PDB file of all heavy atoms in Angstrom:
ATOM      1  N   PHE A 109     -12.754  73.035 171.880  1.00 97.00           N
ATOM      2  CA  PHE A 109     -13.729  73.989 171.359  1.00 97.00           C
ATOM      3  C   PHE A 109     -15.156  73.450 171.520  1.00 97.00           C
ATOM      4  O   PHE A 109     -16.060  73.873 170.777  1.00 97.00           O
ATOM      5  CB  PHE A 109     -13.444  74.331 169.908  1.00 97.00           C
ATOM      6  CG  PHE A 109     -12.053  74.898 169.667  1.00 97.00           C
ATOM      7  CD1 PHE A 109     -11.218  74.353 168.726  1.00 97.00           C
ATOM      8  CD2 PHE A 109     -11.595  75.981 170.411  1.00 97.00           C
ATOM      9  CE1 PHE A 109      -9.944  74.867 168.498  1.00 97.00           C
ATOM     10  CE2 PHE A 109     -10.334  76.499 170.204  1.00 97.00           C
ATOM     11  CZ  PHE A 109      -9.511  75.951 169.244  1.00 97.00           C
ATOM     12  N   ALA A 273      -0.626  85.060 173.424  1.00 90.00           N
ATOM     13  CA  ALA A 273      -1.139  86.399 173.738  1.00 90.00           C
ATOM     14  C   ALA A 273      -2.673  86.439 173.831  1.00 90.00           C
ATOM     15  O   ALA A 273      -3.355  86.868 172.924  1.00 90.00           O
ATOM     16  CB  ALA A 273      -0.663  87.397 172.680  1.00 90.00           C
ATOM     17  N   GLU A 275      -4.516  88.488 175.019  1.00 88.00           N
ATOM     18  CA  GLU A 275      -4.499  89.907 175.453  1.00 88.00           C
ATOM     19  C   GLU A 275      -4.752  90.757 174.227  1.00 88.00           C
ATOM     20  O   GLU A 275      -4.595  90.290 173.117  1.00 88.00           O
ATOM     21  CB  GLU A 275      -3.123  90.257 175.988  1.00 88.00           C
ATOM     22  CG  GLU A 275      -2.679  89.473 177.192  1.00 88.00           C
ATOM     23  CD  GLU A 275      -1.734  90.266 178.063  1.00 88.00           C
ATOM     24  OE1 GLU A 275      -1.382  91.399 177.680  1.00 88.00           O
ATOM     25  OE2 GLU A 275      -1.382  89.748 179.129  1.00 88.00           O
ATOM     26  N   LEU A 277      -3.737  92.881 171.332  1.00 92.00           N
ATOM     27  CA  LEU A 277      -2.464  93.053 170.602  1.00 92.00           C
ATOM     28  C   LEU A 277      -2.344  94.501 170.155  1.00 92.00           C
ATOM     29  O   LEU A 277      -3.319  95.245 170.118  1.00 92.00           O
ATOM     30  CB  LEU A 277      -2.462  92.125 169.409  1.00 92.00           C
ATOM     31  CG  LEU A 277      -2.402  90.668 169.874  1.00 92.00           C
ATOM     32  CD1 LEU A 277      -3.031  89.737 168.880  1.00 92.00           C
ATOM     33  CD2 LEU A 277      -0.958  90.250 170.124  1.00 92.00           C
ATOM     34  N   PRO A 279      -1.886  97.562 167.437  1.00 89.00           N
ATOM     35  CA  PRO A 279      -2.416  97.675 166.063  1.00 89.00           C
ATOM     36  C   PRO A 279      -1.394  97.196 165.049  1.00 89.00           C
ATOM     37  O   PRO A 279      -0.225  97.486 165.186  1.00 89.00           O
ATOM     38  CB  PRO A 279      -2.608  99.195 165.886  1.00 89.00           C
ATOM     39  CG  PRO A 279      -2.572  99.772 167.236  1.00 89.00           C
ATOM     40  CD  PRO A 279      -1.751  98.865 168.096  1.00 89.00           C
ATOM     41  N   PHE A 280      -1.842  96.401 164.084  1.00 91.00           N
ATOM     42  CA  PHE A 280      -0.920  96.043 163.012  1.00 91.00           C
ATOM     43  C   PHE A 280      -1.452  96.666 161.715  1.00 91.00           C
ATOM     44  O   PHE A 280      -2.611  97.065 161.638  1.00 91.00           O
ATOM     45  CB  PHE A 280      -0.719  94.530 162.888  1.00 91.00           C
ATOM     46  CG  PHE A 280      -1.911  93.795 162.331  1.00 91.00           C
ATOM     47  CD1 PHE A 280      -1.991  93.471 161.005  1.00 91.00           C
ATOM     48  CD2 PHE A 280      -2.944  93.390 163.177  1.00 91.00           C
ATOM     49  CE1 PHE A 280      -3.096  92.788 160.483  1.00 91.00           C
ATOM     50  CE2 PHE A 280      -4.042  92.707 162.672  1.00 91.00           C
ATOM     51  CZ  PHE A 280      -4.110  92.406 161.336  1.00 91.00           C
ATOM     52  N   GLY A 282      -2.814  96.613 158.065  1.00 93.00           N
ATOM     53  CA  GLY A 282      -3.519  95.667 157.174  1.00 93.00           C
ATOM     54  C   GLY A 282      -2.691  95.293 155.967  1.00 93.00           C
ATOM     55  O   GLY A 282      -2.775  94.174 155.463  1.00 93.00           O
ATOM     56  N   ILE A 286      -2.329  91.924 153.585  1.00 96.00           N
ATOM     57  CA  ILE A 286      -2.846  92.031 152.214  1.00 96.00           C
ATOM     58  C   ILE A 286      -1.702  91.874 151.196  1.00 96.00           C
ATOM     59  O   ILE A 286      -1.866  91.147 150.212  1.00 96.00           O
ATOM     60  CB  ILE A 286      -3.595  93.373 152.056  1.00 96.00           C
ATOM     61  CG1 ILE A 286      -4.865  93.375 152.936  1.00 96.00           C
ATOM     62  CG2 ILE A 286      -3.923  93.662 150.596  1.00 96.00           C
ATOM     63  CD1 ILE A 286      -5.599  94.721 152.988  1.00 96.00           C
ATOM     64  N   GLY A 288       0.688  90.065 150.359  1.00 95.00           N
ATOM     65  CA  GLY A 288       1.386  88.799 150.477  1.00 95.00           C
ATOM     66  C   GLY A 288       0.411  87.695 150.898  1.00 95.00           C
ATOM     67  O   GLY A 288       0.824  86.547 151.175  1.00 95.00           O
ATOM     68  N   ARG A 289      -0.878  88.004 150.953  1.00 97.00           N
ATOM     69  CA  ARG A 289      -1.902  86.998 151.254  1.00 97.00           C
ATOM     70  C   ARG A 289      -1.492  86.203 152.516  1.00 97.00           C
ATOM     71  O   ARG A 289      -1.606  84.962 152.542  1.00 97.00           O
ATOM     72  CB  ARG A 289      -2.059  86.103 150.033  1.00 97.00           C
ATOM     73  CG  ARG A 289      -3.425  85.440 149.989  1.00 97.00           C
ATOM     74  CD  ARG A 289      -3.801  84.903 148.638  1.00 97.00           C
ATOM     75  NE  ARG A 289      -2.986  83.832 148.147  1.00 97.00           N
ATOM     76  CZ  ARG A 289      -3.209  83.131 147.058  1.00 97.00           C
ATOM     77  NH1 ARG A 289      -4.235  83.444 146.265  1.00 97.00           N
ATOM     78  NH2 ARG A 289      -2.413  82.152 146.681  1.00 97.00           N
ATOM     79  N   LYS A 290      -0.999  86.929 153.507  1.00 98.00           N
ATOM     80  CA  LYS A 290      -0.507  86.274 154.716  1.00 98.00           C
ATOM     81  C   LYS A 290      -1.627  86.087 155.724  1.00 98.00           C
ATOM     82  O   LYS A 290      -2.717  86.579 155.543  1.00 98.00           O
ATOM     83  CB  LYS A 290       0.641  87.095 155.296  1.00 98.00           C
ATOM     84  CG  LYS A 290       1.800  87.272 154.333  1.00 98.00           C
ATOM     85  CD  LYS A 290       2.895  88.156 154.880  1.00 98.00           C
ATOM     86  CE  LYS A 290       3.984  88.335 153.825  1.00 98.00           C
ATOM     87  NZ  LYS A 290       5.085  89.223 154.335  1.00 98.00           N
ATOM     88  N   ILE A 292      -2.691  85.573 160.048  1.00 97.00           N
ATOM     89  CA  ILE A 292      -2.475  85.426 161.495  1.00 97.00           C
ATOM     90  C   ILE A 292      -3.556  84.495 161.998  1.00 97.00           C
ATOM     91  O   ILE A 292      -4.725  84.707 161.707  1.00 97.00           O
ATOM     92  CB  ILE A 292      -2.644  86.772 162.228  1.00 97.00           C
ATOM     93  CG1 ILE A 292      -1.758  87.850 161.659  1.00 97.00           C
ATOM     94  CG2 ILE A 292      -2.368  86.595 163.742  1.00 97.00           C
ATOM     95  CD1 ILE A 292      -2.041  89.224 162.229  1.00 97.00           C
ATOM     96  N   ALA A 293      -3.168  83.480 162.704  1.00 98.00           N
ATOM     97  CA  ALA A 293      -4.148  82.518 163.245  1.00 98.00           C
ATOM     98  C   ALA A 293      -3.929  82.370 164.739  1.00 98.00           C
ATOM     99  O   ALA A 293      -2.894  82.783 165.272  1.00 98.00           O
ATOM    100  CB  ALA A 293      -4.062  81.190 162.536  1.00 98.00           C
ATOM    101  N   GLY A 294      -4.905  81.785 165.402  1.00 98.00           N
ATOM    102  CA  GLY A 294      -4.748  81.416 166.798  1.00 98.00           C
ATOM    103  C   GLY A 294      -4.783  79.921 166.942  1.00 98.00           C
ATOM    104  O   GLY A 294      -5.221  79.213 166.038  1.00 98.00           O
ATOM    105  N   LEU A 296      -5.353  76.927 170.301  1.00 97.00           N
ATOM    106  CA  LEU A 296      -5.617  76.720 171.749  1.00 97.00           C
ATOM    107  C   LEU A 296      -5.385  75.234 172.060  1.00 97.00           C
ATOM    108  O   LEU A 296      -6.089  74.376 171.545  1.00 97.00           O
ATOM    109  CB  LEU A 296      -7.045  77.112 172.042  1.00 97.00           C
ATOM    110  CG  LEU A 296      -7.516  76.908 173.491  1.00 97.00           C
ATOM    111  CD1 LEU A 296      -6.864  77.947 174.391  1.00 97.00           C
ATOM    112  CD2 LEU A 296      -9.036  76.996 173.589  1.00 97.00           C
TER     113      LEU A 296
ATOM    114  N   PHE B 109       2.303  89.187 143.358  1.00 97.00           N
ATOM    115  CA  PHE B 109       3.333  89.081 144.386  1.00 97.00           C
ATOM    116  C   PHE B 109       4.705  88.816 143.740  1.00 97.00           C
ATOM    117  O   PHE B 109       5.614  88.273 144.409  1.00 97.00           O
ATOM    118  CB  PHE B 109       2.996  87.990 145.382  1.00 97.00           C
ATOM    119  CG  PHE B 109       1.662  88.164 146.082  1.00 97.00           C
ATOM    120  CD1 PHE B 109       0.715  87.166 146.079  1.00 97.00           C
ATOM    121  CD2 PHE B 109       1.372  89.369 146.729  1.00 97.00           C
ATOM    122  CE1 PHE B 109      -0.516  87.325 146.726  1.00 97.00           C
ATOM    123  CE2 PHE B 109       0.143  89.555 147.374  1.00 97.00           C
ATOM    124  CZ  PHE B 109      -0.788  88.534 147.368  1.00 97.00           C
ATOM    125  N   ALA B 273      -8.442  97.284 153.983  1.00 89.00           N
ATOM    126  CA  ALA B 273      -7.788  98.136 154.963  1.00 89.00           C
ATOM    127  C   ALA B 273      -6.260  98.102 154.874  1.00 89.00           C
ATOM    128  O   ALA B 273      -5.602  97.422 155.620  1.00 89.00           O
ATOM    129  CB  ALA B 273      -8.243  97.738 156.373  1.00 89.00           C
ATOM    130  N   GLU B 275      -4.165  99.920 156.009  1.00 88.00           N
ATOM    131  CA  GLU B 275      -3.996 100.962 157.038  1.00 88.00           C
ATOM    132  C   GLU B 275      -3.758 100.251 158.344  1.00 88.00           C
ATOM    133  O   GLU B 275      -4.001  99.055 158.491  1.00 88.00           O
ATOM    134  CB  GLU B 275      -5.326 101.722 157.197  1.00 88.00           C
ATOM    135  CG  GLU B 275      -5.744 102.445 155.956  1.00 88.00           C
ATOM    136  CD  GLU B 275      -6.568 103.680 156.299  1.00 88.00           C
ATOM    137  OE1 GLU B 275      -6.834 103.914 157.500  1.00 88.00           O
ATOM    138  OE2 GLU B 275      -6.920 104.413 155.363  1.00 88.00           O
ATOM    139  N   LEU B 277      -4.724  98.770 161.671  1.00 92.00           N
ATOM    140  CA  LEU B 277      -5.980  98.355 162.215  1.00 92.00           C
ATOM    141  C   LEU B 277      -6.023  98.633 163.716  1.00 92.00           C
ATOM    142  O   LEU B 277      -4.962  98.843 164.348  1.00 92.00           O
ATOM    143  CB  LEU B 277      -6.175  96.868 161.947  1.00 92.00           C
ATOM    144  CG  LEU B 277      -6.365  96.582 160.466  1.00 92.00           C
ATOM    145  CD1 LEU B 277      -5.888  95.224 160.093  1.00 92.00           C
ATOM    146  CD2 LEU B 277      -7.814  96.779 160.062  1.00 92.00           C
ATOM    147  N   PRO B 279      -6.359  97.683 167.729  1.00 89.00           N
ATOM    148  CA  PRO B 279      -5.883  96.503 168.459  1.00 89.00           C
ATOM    149  C   PRO B 279      -7.008  95.476 168.554  1.00 89.00           C
ATOM    150  O   PRO B 279      -8.148  95.850 168.795  1.00 89.00           O
ATOM    151  CB  PRO B 279      -5.576  97.022 169.832  1.00 89.00           C
ATOM    152  CG  PRO B 279      -5.480  98.480 169.726  1.00 89.00           C
ATOM    153  CD  PRO B 279      -6.301  98.920 168.569  1.00 89.00           C
ATOM    154  N   PHE B 280      -6.693  94.225 168.296  1.00 91.00           N
ATOM    155  CA  PHE B 280      -7.703  93.183 168.531  1.00 91.00           C
ATOM    156  C   PHE B 280      -7.192  92.293 169.649  1.00 91.00           C
ATOM    157  O   PHE B 280      -5.981  92.296 169.969  1.00 91.00           O
ATOM    158  CB  PHE B 280      -8.058  92.408 167.270  1.00 91.00           C
ATOM    159  CG  PHE B 280      -6.982  91.464 166.809  1.00 91.00           C
ATOM    160  CD1 PHE B 280      -6.994  90.117 167.163  1.00 91.00           C
ATOM    161  CD2 PHE B 280      -5.942  91.922 166.001  1.00 91.00           C
ATOM    162  CE1 PHE B 280      -6.022  89.253 166.729  1.00 91.00           C
ATOM    163  CE2 PHE B 280      -4.958  91.050 165.557  1.00 91.00           C
ATOM    164  CZ  PHE B 280      -4.996  89.705 165.920  1.00 91.00           C
ATOM    165  N   GLY B 282      -6.051  88.911 171.230  1.00 93.00           N
ATOM    166  CA  GLY B 282      -5.502  87.634 170.780  1.00 93.00           C
ATOM    167  C   GLY B 282      -6.421  86.466 171.047  1.00 93.00           C
ATOM    168  O   GLY B 282      -6.489  85.528 170.300  1.00 93.00           O
ATOM    169  N   ILE B 286      -7.284  82.845 169.218  1.00 96.00           N
ATOM    170  CA  ILE B 286      -6.836  81.647 169.937  1.00 96.00           C
ATOM    171  C   ILE B 286      -8.025  80.764 170.342  1.00 96.00           C
ATOM    172  O   ILE B 286      -8.018  79.573 170.142  1.00 96.00           O
ATOM    173  CB  ILE B 286      -5.967  82.031 171.164  1.00 96.00           C
ATOM    174  CG1 ILE B 286      -4.651  82.675 170.689  1.00 96.00           C
ATOM    175  CG2 ILE B 286      -5.719  80.850 172.079  1.00 96.00           C
ATOM    176  CD1 ILE B 286      -3.773  83.313 171.781  1.00 96.00           C
ATOM    177  N   GLY B 288     -10.661  79.430 169.278  1.00 95.00           N
ATOM    178  CA  GLY B 288     -11.458  79.010 168.120  1.00 95.00           C
ATOM    179  C   GLY B 288     -10.577  78.782 166.903  1.00 95.00           C
ATOM    180  O   GLY B 288     -11.109  78.549 165.822  1.00 95.00           O
ATOM    181  N   ARG B 289      -9.254  78.836 167.088  1.00 97.00           N
ATOM    182  CA  ARG B 289      -8.339  78.553 165.996  1.00 97.00           C
ATOM    183  C   ARG B 289      -8.712  79.315 164.732  1.00 97.00           C
ATOM    184  O   ARG B 289      -8.703  78.788 163.628  1.00 97.00           O
ATOM    185  CB  ARG B 289      -8.299  77.030 165.760  1.00 97.00           C
ATOM    186  CG  ARG B 289      -7.023  76.551 165.146  1.00 97.00           C
ATOM    187  CD  ARG B 289      -6.814  75.087 165.303  1.00 97.00           C
ATOM    188  NE  ARG B 289      -7.746  74.237 164.594  1.00 97.00           N
ATOM    189  CZ  ARG B 289      -7.660  72.936 164.481  1.00 97.00           C
ATOM    190  NH1 ARG B 289      -6.665  72.261 165.097  1.00 97.00           N
ATOM    191  NH2 ARG B 289      -8.514  72.211 163.819  1.00 97.00           N
ATOM    192  N   LYS B 290      -9.107  80.571 164.938  1.00 98.00           N
ATOM    193  CA  LYS B 290      -9.573  81.384 163.816  1.00 98.00           C
ATOM    194  C   LYS B 290      -8.411  82.097 163.120  1.00 98.00           C
ATOM    195  O   LYS B 290      -7.288  82.030 163.593  1.00 98.00           O
ATOM    196  CB  LYS B 290     -10.601  82.407 164.344  1.00 98.00           C
ATOM    197  CG  LYS B 290     -11.786  81.741 165.003  1.00 98.00           C
ATOM    198  CD  LYS B 290     -12.746  82.735 165.596  1.00 98.00           C
ATOM    199  CE  LYS B 290     -13.863  82.008 166.340  1.00 98.00           C
ATOM    200  NZ  LYS B 290     -14.829  82.959 166.913  1.00 98.00           N
ATOM    201  N   ILE B 292      -7.142  85.555 160.564  1.00 97.00           N
ATOM    202  CA  ILE B 292      -7.299  86.774 159.800  1.00 97.00           C
ATOM    203  C   ILE B 292      -6.289  86.682 158.645  1.00 97.00           C
ATOM    204  O   ILE B 292      -5.107  86.397 158.902  1.00 97.00           O
ATOM    205  CB  ILE B 292      -6.953  88.049 160.601  1.00 97.00           C
ATOM    206  CG1 ILE B 292      -7.768  88.116 161.888  1.00 97.00           C
ATOM    207  CG2 ILE B 292      -7.145  89.300 159.751  1.00 97.00           C
ATOM    208  CD1 ILE B 292      -7.294  89.232 162.826  1.00 97.00           C
ATOM    209  N   ALA B 293      -6.748  86.888 157.444  1.00 98.00           N
ATOM    210  CA  ALA B 293      -5.818  86.821 156.302  1.00 98.00           C
ATOM    211  C   ALA B 293      -5.968  88.073 155.468  1.00 98.00           C
ATOM    212  O   ALA B 293      -6.907  88.834 155.629  1.00 98.00           O
ATOM    213  CB  ALA B 293      -6.084  85.582 155.467  1.00 98.00           C
ATOM    214  N   GLY B 294      -5.008  88.283 154.579  1.00 98.00           N
ATOM    215  CA  GLY B 294      -5.128  89.364 153.613  1.00 98.00           C
ATOM    216  C   GLY B 294      -5.208  88.805 152.222  1.00 98.00           C
ATOM    217  O   GLY B 294      -4.936  87.626 151.996  1.00 98.00           O
ATOM    218  N   LEU B 296      -4.758  90.321 147.965  1.00 97.00           N
ATOM    219  CA  LEU B 296      -4.435  91.440 147.115  1.00 97.00           C
ATOM    220  C   LEU B 296      -4.776  91.111 145.652  1.00 97.00           C
ATOM    221  O   LEU B 296      -4.168  90.173 145.085  1.00 97.00           O
ATOM    222  CB  LEU B 296      -2.942  91.781 147.219  1.00 97.00           C
ATOM    223  CG  LEU B 296      -2.415  92.907 146.335  1.00 97.00           C
ATOM    224  CD1 LEU B 296      -2.917  94.249 146.856  1.00 97.00           C
ATOM    225  CD2 LEU B 296      -0.902  92.918 146.297  1.00 97.00           C
TER     226      LEU B 296
END
Side-chain angles (χ1 to χ4, degrees):
Chain A
F109 302 128
E275 299 209 357
L277 292 152
F280 72 96
I286 293 172
R289 205 162 66 174
K290 300 177 184 180
I292 305 171
L296 177 73
Chain B
F109 302 128
E275 298 209 357
L277 292 153
F280 72 94
I286 293 172
R289 205 161 67 173
K290 300 177 184 181
I292 305 171
L296 177 72

